[in-house]
Amino acid sequence: MSRSAPVVRAAAAGTSVLLALALTACGGGVHGTPGGAGVRDPYFPKAGNGGYDVTHYGLTLAYDPEGHRLSGTAVITARATKDLSAFDLDLAGMEVGSVTVEGRAALFSRAGQELTVRPHGELDRGETFTATVRYAGTPRTLTDPDGSKEGWLRTADGALALGEPTGSMAWFPGNDHPSDKAAYDITVTVPKGLRAVSNGELKSETTSGGRTTFHWHTDEPMATYLATVAIGRWTVTRSTLKNGLPVYVAVDPTQAKASRAVLAKIPEIMDWAETNFGPYPFSSAGVIVDRPGDAGYALETQNRPVFAGPPDTTTLVHELVHQWYGDSVTPRTWQDMWLNEGFATYAQWLYAEDHGGDSAQRTFDSVYRGDHYDDADNKAVWAFPPAKPSDAAHISDSPVYVRGAMVLQKIRQKVGDETFYDIVQGWAAAHRHGTADTAQFTAYVEKKAPDKDFSGIWKDWLYGEGKPAHP
């Protein structure tokens, strides 16, 4: 379907008419080109879009749980990275009512997840512009290549929006790829009695006419897959760590009792993580604990990870450490997932080592021997190299997590603890609030320990097929 304010039936005429109309509007002189659909991610080639960099999302949402209807206005501020005659946004489902660019009605068309926008006038390279998309409808729950659910999930008392790897396009239009991070303001209106929890800090809460509006602000850059909205009858508590960091904890009332003991460990875990990985990179922390059946997994949504039911301590450590590795330092492509999951898994090993459990080396040895998990899971660790998942359906499989952690232990073996902690803390600091890939990481390690030869680790453990011959 294609629609514009002055020309409602443009879709029937096709792209050629859109081009002709745009040429007429611009006086016939065209020097820009379309930004392009997709950023050629090796696993999700349609994800993201070329030609611009988003700096801020202003999302104003209203959700009716009974009718399962979402309406939204997305104000997207971006900088053109080339001369643009058109640009794409990712949006799956929903009905688009209008699009404006710099306050002027823009032509738009849709094909699959692509919302193609043709501004009234062209955008010059380096120009900052604002696009406003008004949309509404029934938000979709998407199925990942691995069979898990993401996007907009209906829950027993509301909804839960989860975005890894490509689910954010189910509830707002954007540049849905981790390589493009931005600040966010997310304002959500829900029926009175429900609460809407999102990323960042709560700036306001107002009730009028039987509906309550919550405004959340995230100043630090965030990838689209880390954005969340959780709507329900949450019990929300706000506390402060000893360093002054605000902590927001939202728990479904049915999970409060079972969650109490593990959530009480958040201050201690955060203190331990800062000691090991450096200063916490965001301006607030916390968690969201939903019912077990509302989502099938935990996710490191920025500032406050989401858990399907009360987490155990190991899982809580994993998701909180993702705030450093994955959320602050975000993978440049989905092939670099091990930089998220390998670090977070290794953090579990370190936490156990520091709290009376097995050392990281002992865990490594057990995994290598094949007696750490059951037979099937032990074999799965060696299915593919952590830096080369076999396809999109396997970017969250055990080699990415466990063998990724083993790469870090091999580096620690090679350089010793002092240099190793300098590496992991320095990596988090050097790419704070940015994106990075595997090649940058290996180069960083080699620079930090120039007298060491890492070629065997990269060849056998990071990129090598099968189980390395020697631990």
Side-chain angles (χ1 to χ4, degrees):
M1 180 177 182
S2 175
R3 189 183 304 168
S4 70
V7 183
V8 178
R9 297 184 180 87
T15 305
S16 60
V17 171
L18 290 177
L19 177 59
L21 288 169
L23 287 171
T24 300
C26 297
V30 177
H31 68 278
T33 57
V39 293
R40 299 182 181 178
D41 185 275
Y43 295 93
F44 297 91
K46 294 181 180 180
N49 303 284
Y52 64 92
D53 175 62
V54 180
T55 57
H56 182 266
Y57 290 96
L59 306 178
T60 302
L61 310 173
Y63 182 62
D64 171 23
E66 286 192 11
H68 188 39
R69 181 174 176 81
L70 177 70
S71 61
T73 299
V75 180
I76 302 161
T77 304
R79 181 181 59 86
T81 58
K82 58 180 285 188
D83 293 335
L84 288 174
S85 60
F87 59 91
D88 280 27
L89 297 167
D90 297 305
L91 182 63
M94 311 294 285
E95 295 290 333
V96 177
S98 67
V99 180
T100 63
V101 178
E102 290 296 282
R104 303 188 69 178
L107 298 168
F108 64 91
S109 60
R110 302 194 67 183
Q113 72 183 55
E114 300 299 327
L115 170 61
T116 302
V117 179
R118 190 172 297 279
H120 183 271
E122 293 187 356
L123 302 170
D124 295 329
R125 180 179 180 179
E127 180 180 351
T128 297
F129 64 94
T130 298
T132 300
V133 181
R134 291 178 173 83
Y135 59 100
T138 300
R140 292 182 181 178
T141 297
L142 307 178
T143 302
D144 291 339
D146 67 2
S148 59
K149 303 296 184 182
E150 60 167 331
W152 193 270
L153 310 178
R154 296 188 75 174
T155 64
D157 57 356
L160 180 61
L162 300 176
E164 186 177 3
T166 59
S168 73
M169 64 181 175
W171 58 283
F172 70 93
N175 198 16
D176 194 9
H177 190 266
S179 60
D180 191 1
K181 302 169 72 170
Y184 283 72
D185 280 277
I186 301 178
T187 302
V188 188
T189 299
V190 294
K192 184 179 178 181
L194 298 180
R195 302 188 68 85
V197 179
S198 189
N199 311 90
E201 295 77 58
L202 182 64
K203 293 301 182 180
S204 67
E205 175 184 340
T206 58
T207 298
S208 177
R211 298 178 69 80
T212 305
T213 299
F214 300 85
H215 172 202
W216 294 84
H217 173 73
T218 302
D219 193 50
E220 297 91 357
M222 179 167 69
T224 51
Y225 83 93
L226 298 170
T228 190
V229 169
I231 297 168
R233 298 187 181 279
W234 307 107
T235 298
V236 180
T237 58
R238 186 187 184 280
S239 60
T240 304
L241 299 183
K242 62 183 181 182
N243 62 3
L245 186 76
V247 179
Y248 298 86
V249 173
V251 181
D252 185 286
T254 65
Q255 309 302 307
K257 183 177 180 181
S259 300
R260 191 170 296 118
V262 68
L263 297 183
K265 297 181 181 181
I266 289 175
E268 180 270 320
I269 292 171
M270 292 290 290
D271 184 63
W272 172 86
E274 286 200 302
T275 298
N276 284 272
F277 308 120
Y280 180 70
F282 299 113
S283 51
S284 67
V287 301
I288 299 169
V289 180
D290 208 343
R291 305 182 191 200
D294 288 345
Y297 50 88
L299 186 63
E300 64 271 21
T301 43
Q302 192 158 302
N303 306 99
R304 52 196 50 85
V306 171
F307 300 93
D312 57 25
T313 300
T314 296
T315 305
L316 183 59
V317 168
H318 183 104
E319 303 303 337
L320 289 177
V321 171
H322 265 313
Q323 304 304 305
W324 282 259
Y325 307 104
D327 293 18
S328 177
V329 185
T330 302
R332 185 154 294 169
T333 76
W334 288 110
Q335 185 170 344
D336 304 303
M337 265 287 271
W338 83 274
L339 290 171
N340 293 17
E341 303 302 347
F343 269 93
T345 302
Y346 193 69
Q348 298 172 213
W349 297 5
L350 289 178
Y351 188 85
E353 180 178 285
D354 290 346
H355 292 80
D358 287 343
S359 68
Q361 183 61 51
R362 188 169 182 177
T363 302
F364 175 99
D365 292 339
S366 178
V367 172
Y368 186 83
R369 286 194 310 268
D371 56 23
H372 193 72
Y373 307 107
D374 61 32
D375 288 345
D377 289 338
N378 283 320
K379 292 177 182 178
V381 171
W382 313 108
F384 56 81
K388 292 176 62 178
S390 52
D391 56 45
H394 296 96
I395 62 169
S396 294
D397 283 7
S398 59
V400 174
Y401 288 66
V402 180
R403 194 166 162 184
M406 296 178 88
V407 169
L408 296 174
Q409 179 60 17
K410 291 296 293 184
I411 295 170
R412 185 182 179 189
Q413 290 175 349
K414 176 74 71 173
V415 303
D417 278 9
E418 182 175 350
T419 300
F420 176 75
Y421 282 101
D422 184 44
I423 288 171
V424 297
Q425 292 180 15
W427 174 252
H431 296 279
R432 183 182 175 97
H433 303 316
T435 62
D437 59 27
T438 300
Q440 288 175 292
F441 177 73
T442 57
Y444 185 86
V445 172
E446 291 170 357
K447 182 179 179 180
K448 285 290 187 177
D451 59 328
K452 305 295 183 181
D453 180 10
F454 296 94
S455 59
I457 297 176
W458 309 149
K459 176 178 177 292
D460 296 336
W461 290 89
L462 190 55
Y463 289 105
E465 299 287 345
K467 185 177 181 179
H470 302 287

